[in-house]
Amino acid sequence: MGSELEKWVLMVTARTPTNIAVIKYWGKRDETLILPINDSISVTLDPSHLCTTTTVSVSPTFDHDRMWLNGKEISLQGGRFQSCLREIRARAQDVEDKKKGIKIKKEDWQKLHLHIASYNNFPTAAGLASSAAGLACLVFSLAKLMNLKEDNSQLSAIARQGSGSACRSLYGGFVKWDMGKEDNGSDSLAVQLADEKHWDELVIIIAVVSARQKETSSTSGMRDTVVTSALIEHRAKEVVPKRIVQMEDAIQKRDFPSFARLAYRDSNQFHAVCLDTYPPIFYMNDTSHRIISCVEKWNRAEETPQVAYTFDAGPNAVMIARDRKTAALLLQRLLYNFPPQSDTDLDSYIIGDKSILQDAGIKDMKDVEALAPPPEIKDNISTQRSKGDVSHFICTRPGGGPVVLSDGSHALLNPLTGLPK
Amino acid sequence: MGSELEKWVLMVTARTPTNIAVIKYWGKRDETLILPINDSISVTLDPSHLCTTTTVSVSPTFDHDRMWLNGKEISLQGGRFQSCLREIRARAQDVEDKKKGIKIKKEDWQKLHLHIASYNNFPTAAGLASSAAGLACLVFSLAKLMNLKEDNSQLSAIARQGSGSACRSLYGGFVKWDMGKEDNGSDSLAVQLADEKHWDELVIIIAVVSARQKETSSTSGMRDTVVTSALIEHRAKEVVPKRIVQMEDAIQKRDFPSFARLAYRDSNQFHAVCLDTYPPIFYMNDTSHRIISCVEKWNRAEETPQVAYTFDAGPNAVMIARDRKTAALLLQRLLYNFPPQSDTDLDSYIIGDKSILQDAGIKDMKDVEALAPPPEIKDNISTQRSKGDVSHFICTRPGGGPVVLSDGSHALLNPLTGLPK
């Protein structure tokens, strides 16, 4: 470390995707290390539409660790942040920036303080796995700053201690979180099953559902499930292991019908064990149920799955369409059943990859109003077209893993002061 | 049988209660005989508030079997009606009415035709187990008409073939449907655990919830569950047998906390296996969830269950309060959270045993509007008081079993013509 007069700030900015589980993680066998009771599999979502950007910086002028989330300072005192920081500092290496004349020895990292700024390009509280992307990005960016030798899989075991599902955000494409066997959690980490190019026809549409009730946090929810559900052990020990094997196979073979069936049945079973919890946990609401019913009717009419659906710990639906053509047909159905409120413009109602909207032949609100009922509900007179039940839709696709953003314009901290820009 | 000129009509009128399961029946091991995959336990509801009245009649002038439900003629061709009629005729005995000079030999019942009229004192389609009361009443009244020697338990095995849960309506109080072991179903029948006087403090309040969606019939729903749920077998074989023993014990000891915990956990698990079914079945809706949340908050605040809840194959909540005082406090909470719509009068919003309303100190709509939020939600600002989510409440209690109504004024058929009055 240089002299006491040194005022340098060293920083790294990285971007990390969020992910959606298609075989669900629910229940821990170790609360502190965050070790799960079963394996899980996820699809990484395209970071252009849903990601966290984090800038981490170090400077001899910083007098304590500080963090800002979406521009607002938050506490780093939580046990989970502390676990991640401790684990990363323990693995820190010598760092040298010859251009800036900075040299940090690995033992110095224990004394140096950090400034961290993180930003989600989607609403934090909307139940879109912001903590997964956030913790993965924190760990990934710090690992780069401190020159860790660990690969992404080993880093995933650190991110896991911040937020279980964060470990799956260390890779793009299709990712498995191996529950591991060791008591110390060293083998409970993420592995990539296939990258995002392996199956690139898939299109993902997320319905962000307007929630009326406050939700149970997933941390306390899964704890209650493990303690009180009479079904969770059977799920974790008997049902999930078979589904993991089948899902890996479906992904390798790009077998959409099997992929879809496993995804929606596993999502439904996760919500079933939530309901079997005492007190019962309800994450899906009437709008979620209607989205399922809309997709199920169509899948049944086509006699083979067109769209998979899965719901995390909230009412939002994540739908995975087999290809772009199917996604356009899905979007028509969704807009027919869940039109925007009169004061909402289409441009803010469908966000992300708007080209799907063009494929669906929808240019403006008149096109939405002119949508005919899909053929599969022709004889069902009672179809409701209720406005306002869905806040907005996000069109996206499977995407890549974490990346370092070397262009300084992405940095969230001022390179001179180390404070938020 | 008398001469061809005889014009006599012989009739019997009976009244049979409905029942609500507190350990649920869901899943058959034999679709035709209606044999369940687990035992179930129910509470019989007071027939003054919820019952079926049925008049059965026989006459040499009738040329085929006919039935009227709530004044409208319906077909008796269904397999389930036919099973019941066949089983009862096979057990018919000699009947003699000396006053009327009528003599029917047991073999004559195979040739004689029946007229049947049935009436529910509650809406048939409201998901209040109308088929249970209806089939039980059909079997019970025909057994009286044809002078069967079988006791109510043996009759329950016939009613079971009409509608599974009907077998539990052959007794008042607390009833167990023993799943039985025999392939022919002879030991799959109802037994009374205790009569209604055994535990007469209990008060039952039913919230009839306004449903927006058409529901899955329980017949097809349970078939789908048995075929597709990965959890139902574990429930039927491992979970329910223990709960049956515990529930019998709770009822014998009038142990309300155990009774309540078993009832709501079993209800939630039944809905969990419905959700684990493919395609998923949702019987509860957002209003059902809010009712659960209202009861759970209160129970938690009191640190011991005040109210049990259970939901059948629909969104209606059946709440069982430990005593009258608790029921009045429950009704206040329900009216606070689910006030009637402005155009509904209180008298049609709270039906059945209206004395609970008096106990709650509520005389008119002004009293409803003046209700303060219950203490357990004091710090929750977001409480909604949404009107119209509940259609009405029925206040009732555990009640007695089937009875013959000998006063002719109750008869639904004209004693001279055998046609609906």
Side-chain angles (χ1 to χ4, degrees):
Chain A
M1 196 151 54
S3 80
E4 281 166 37
L5 291 170
E6 283 181 317
K7 289 274 167 90
W8 54 263
V9 175
L10 190 67
M11 60 171 65
V12 167
T13 299
R15 193 184 71 177
T16 302
T18 186
N19 71 79
I20 177 76
V22 288
I23 299 292
K24 299 294 186 191
Y25 152 54
W26 195 253
K28 299 184 181 80
R29 63 179 205 277
D30 185 308
E31 292 275 340
T32 311
L33 292 171
I34 311 193
L35 302 177
I37 58 173
N38 56 253
D39 297 345
S40 53
I41 292 178
S42 60
V43 179
T44 298
L45 304 186
D46 188 340
S48 343
H49 309 126
L50 293 162
C51 73
T52 296
T53 302
T54 299
T55 299
V56 290
S57 64
V58 63
S59 168
T61 65
F62 298 166
D63 57 6
H64 65 290
D65 292 342
R66 296 178 71 180
M67 178 163 179
W68 293 264
L69 175 61
N70 295 328
K72 217 179 138 178
E73 185 157 13
I74 61 164
S75 166
L76 272 169
Q77 291 313 304
R80 294 171 164 213
F81 279 126
Q82 290 299 317
S83 297
C84 288
L85 292 175
R86 187 187 59 243
E87 295 293 321
I88 292 167
R89 280 190 166 113
R91 290 167 177 80
Q93 301 293 330
D94 294 349
V95 170
E96 188 170 4
D97 185 324
K98 285 188 178 158
K99 222 157 67 184
K100 292 191 180 172
I102 304 167
K103 209 167 172 180
I104 306 173
K105 295 209 150 157
K106 57 176 160 185
E107 53 274 20
D108 294 339
W109 288 109
Q110 300 293 337
K111 290 169 279 173
L112 285 165
H113 294 290
L114 301 164
H115 280 190
I116 302 163
S118 200
Y119 172 78
N120 298 322
N121 69 347
F122 58 95
T124 304
L128 293 169
S130 56
S131 69
L135 268 298
C137 206
L138 176 73
V139 169
F140 182 79
S141 53
L142 286 174
K144 297 304 158 195
L145 180 71
M146 302 189 193
N147 201 19
L148 264 64
K149 288 173 182 159
E150 279 74 13
D151 64 17
N152 281 16
S153 193
Q154 290 164 310
L155 292 182
S156 79
I158 302 175
R160 190 202 72 227
Q161 297 175 59
S163 168
S165 54
C167 73
R168 296 186 311 240
S169 277
L170 267 299
Y171 288 107
F174 301 83
V175 184
K176 174 173 150 183
W177 175 8
D178 198 320
M179 63 180 283
K181 288 174 188 165
E182 301 299 331
D183 284 343
N184 67 6
S186 57
D187 58 348
S188 184
L189 35 77
V191 290
Q192 189 178 50
L193 299 175
D195 70 17
E196 64 277 17
K197 291 181 203 87
H198 166 72
W199 199 353
D200 65 357
E201 311 92 280
L202 299 180
V203 176
I204 298 172
I205 299 182
I206 302 170
V208 179
V209 169
S210 314
R212 302 205 306 172
Q213 277 186 307
K214 204 189 147 192
E215 283 145 29
T216 310
S217 86
S218 55
T219 301
S220 71
M222 68 175 79
R223 190 186 302 131
D224 289 348
T225 301
V226 169
V227 175
T228 66
S229 168
L231 304 175
I232 185 68
E233 193 182 333
H234 185 74
R235 161 172 167 75
K237 292 202 176 151
E238 305 296 329
V239 181
V240 175
K242 289 175 196 135
R243 289 184 176 170
I244 288 283
V245 173
Q246 292 164 349
M247 183 56 97
E248 287 192 55
D249 190 57
I251 289 168
Q252 289 309 336
K253 293 179 178 153
R254 297 184 205 87
D255 170 358
F256 188 80
S258 299
F259 174 84
R261 286 189 195 107
L262 287 162
Y264 44 59
R265 291 180 72 154
D266 204 66
S267 171
N268 291 332
Q269 185 170 90
F270 150 52
H271 292 278
V273 298
C274 286
L275 191 41
D276 187 53
T277 299
Y278 185 75
I281 305 166
F282 314 106
Y283 286 124
M284 294 197 286
N285 65 20
D286 286 351
T287 306
S288 316
H289 295 173
R290 288 181 54 222
I291 292 172
I292 289 180
S293 164
C294 161
V295 171
E296 288 288 357
K297 263 183 207 150
W298 186 28
N299 282 348
R300 217 171 314 136
E302 299 288 337
E303 288 172 13
T304 184
Q306 305 300 305
V307 175
Y309 59 83
T310 188
F311 293 73
D312 269 355
N316 300 333
V318 177
M319 290 160 276
I320 307 177
R322 57 188 311 150
D323 54 30
R324 278 188 70 90
K325 201 180 140 208
T326 309
L329 294 169
L330 171 62
L331 197 54
Q332 288 175 345
R333 282 164 170 83
L334 292 169
L335 284 169
Y336 175 79
N337 283 292
F338 305 95
Q341 277 181 308
S342 351
D343 58 350
T344 309
D345 73 310
L346 196 58
D347 205 51
S348 58
Y349 197 59
I350 310 287
I351 63 174
D353 178 4
K354 288 176 199 277
S355 70
I356 305 292
L357 202 55
Q358 288 161 22
D359 289 7
I362 294 168
K363 285 180 294 292
D364 52 31
M365 281 302 297
K366 275 183 194 161
D367 293 332
V368 174
E369 279 150 29
L371 281 169
E376 67 272 15
I377 61 162
K378 216 164 33 188
D379 51 348
N380 186 339
I381 347 155
S382 71
T383 306
Q384 294 177 309
R385 300 189 64 186
S386 36
K387 298 176 177 187
D389 288 348
V390 169
S391 156
H392 59 280
F393 292 99
I394 305 170
C395 297
T396 185
R397 68 178 82 81
V403 288
V404 170
L405 303 175
S406 35
D407 178 348
S409 71
H410 293 293
L412 300 171
L413 295 172
N414 182 311
L416 299 174
T417 63
L419 290 168
K421 277 183 177 174
Chain B
M1 195 147 58
S3 79
E4 282 167 34
L5 292 170
E6 281 181 317
K7 289 276 169 89
W8 53 263
V9 175
L10 189 67
M11 60 170 66
V12 167
T13 299
R15 193 184 70 177
T16 301
T18 185
N19 71 78
I20 177 78
V22 288
I23 300 291
K24 299 293 186 191
Y25 152 53
W26 195 252
K28 300 184 181 78
R29 63 179 204 276
D30 184 307
E31 292 275 339
T32 312
L33 291 171
I34 310 191
L35 302 177
I37 58 172
N38 56 252
D39 297 345
S40 53
I41 292 177
S42 61
V43 179
T44 298
L45 304 186
D46 188 339
S48 341
H49 308 127
L50 293 161
C51 73
T52 296
T53 302
T54 299
T55 299
V56 291
S57 64
V58 63
S59 168
T61 65
F62 298 166
D63 57 6
H64 64 290
D65 293 341
R66 297 178 70 181
M67 179 164 178
W68 294 264
L69 175 62
N70 296 328
K72 216 178 138 177
E73 184 155 13
I74 61 165
S75 165
L76 272 170
Q77 292 314 303
R80 295 172 162 212
F81 279 128
Q82 290 299 315
S83 297
C84 288
L85 292 174
R86 184 187 63 242
E87 295 294 319
I88 292 167
R89 280 189 167 113
R91 290 166 178 82
Q93 301 295 329
D94 294 349
V95 170
E96 187 169 7
D97 184 324
K98 283 187 178 156
K99 226 158 67 186
K100 292 191 180 170
I102 303 169
K103 211 169 171 178
I104 307 173
K105 293 209 157 168
K106 57 176 161 182
E107 53 274 20
D108 294 340
W109 288 109
Q110 300 293 339
K111 290 168 280 174
L112 284 165
H113 294 289
L114 302 163
H115 280 189
I116 302 163
S118 200
Y119 171 79
N120 298 323
N121 68 348
F122 58 94
T124 303
L128 295 168
S130 56
S131 69
L135 268 297
C137 207
L138 176 74
V139 168
F140 181 79
S141 53
L142 286 174
K144 298 304 158 194
L145 180 71
M146 301 189 192
N147 202 19
L148 264 64
K149 287 173 182 159
E150 279 71 13
D151 64 17
N152 281 15
S153 194
Q154 291 164 311
L155 292 181
S156 79
I158 302 175
R160 190 202 73 228
Q161 298 175 58
S163 168
S165 55
C167 73
R168 296 185 311 239
S169 276
L170 266 299
Y171 288 107
F174 302 83
V175 184
K176 174 174 149 182
W177 174 8
D178 197 321
M179 64 179 283
K181 289 174 187 166
E182 301 298 332
D183 284 343
N184 67 6
S186 59
D187 58 349
S188 185
L189 36 76
V191 291
Q192 190 178 49
L193 298 175
D195 70 18
E196 63 278 17
K197 290 180 203 86
H198 165 72
W199 198 353
D200 64 358
E201 311 93 278
L202 299 180
V203 176
I204 298 172
I205 300 181
I206 302 170
V208 179
V209 170
S210 316
R212 301 206 305 176
Q213 276 186 306
K214 206 188 148 193
E215 282 144 30
T216 311
S217 86
S218 55
T219 301
S220 71
M222 67 175 81
R223 191 187 301 130
D224 289 347
T225 300
V226 169
V227 174
T228 66
S229 168
L231 304 174
I232 185 68
E233 192 181 334
H234 184 76
R235 162 172 167 75
K237 292 201 177 151
E238 305 296 330
V239 182
V240 176
K242 289 175 197 137
R243 289 184 176 170
I244 288 284
V245 173
Q246 292 165 348
M247 183 57 98
E248 287 192 55
D249 191 58
I251 290 168
Q252 288 310 334
K253 294 177 177 156
R254 299 183 204 90
D255 171 359
F256 188 80
S258 300
F259 174 85
R261 287 189 194 106
L262 287 162
Y264 44 57
R265 292 182 72 154
D266 204 65
S267 171
N268 291 333
Q269 184 169 92
F270 149 51
H271 292 278
V273 297
C274 287
L275 191 40
D276 188 52
T277 299
Y278 186 75
I281 305 165
F282 314 107
Y283 286 125
M284 294 197 286
N285 65 18
D286 286 350
T287 306
S288 315
H289 294 172
R290 287 181 54 220
I291 293 172
I292 289 181
S293 163
C294 161
V295 171
E296 288 288 358
K297 262 184 209 152
W298 187 29
N299 282 348
R300 217 170 316 137
E302 299 288 337
E303 288 172 13
T304 185
Q306 305 300 304
V307 175
Y309 59 83
T310 189
F311 292 74
D312 268 356
N316 300 333
V318 177
M319 290 161 274
I320 308 178
R322 58 188 312 151
D323 54 32
R324 278 189 69 91
K325 202 181 140 210
T326 309
L329 295 169
L330 171 63
L331 197 55
Q332 288 175 345
R333 283 166 169 81
L334 292 170
L335 283 169
Y336 175 79
N337 284 293
F338 305 95
Q341 276 180 309
S342 352
D343 58 350
T344 309
D345 73 309
L346 196 57
D347 206 52
S348 58
Y349 196 59
I350 309 288
I351 63 174
D353 178 3
K354 288 176 199 277
S355 69
I356 306 291
L357 200 55
Q358 288 160 23
D359 289 7
I362 294 166
K363 286 181 293 291
D364 52 32
M365 280 302 294
K366 275 184 194 160
D367 294 330
V368 174
E369 280 151 28
L371 280 169
E376 67 272 14
I377 60 161
K378 216 164 29 186
D379 51 348
N380 187 339
I381 348 153
S382 71
T383 306
Q384 293 176 309
R385 299 190 64 187
S386 37
K387 298 176 176 188
D389 287 349
V390 169
S391 157
H392 59 280
F393 292 100
I394 306 170
C395 296
T396 184
R397 67 177 82 81
V403 288
V404 170
L405 303 174
S406 35
D407 178 349
S409 71
H410 294 292
L412 301 171
L413 295 171
N414 182 309
L416 299 174
T417 63
L419 289 168
K421 275 183 175 174

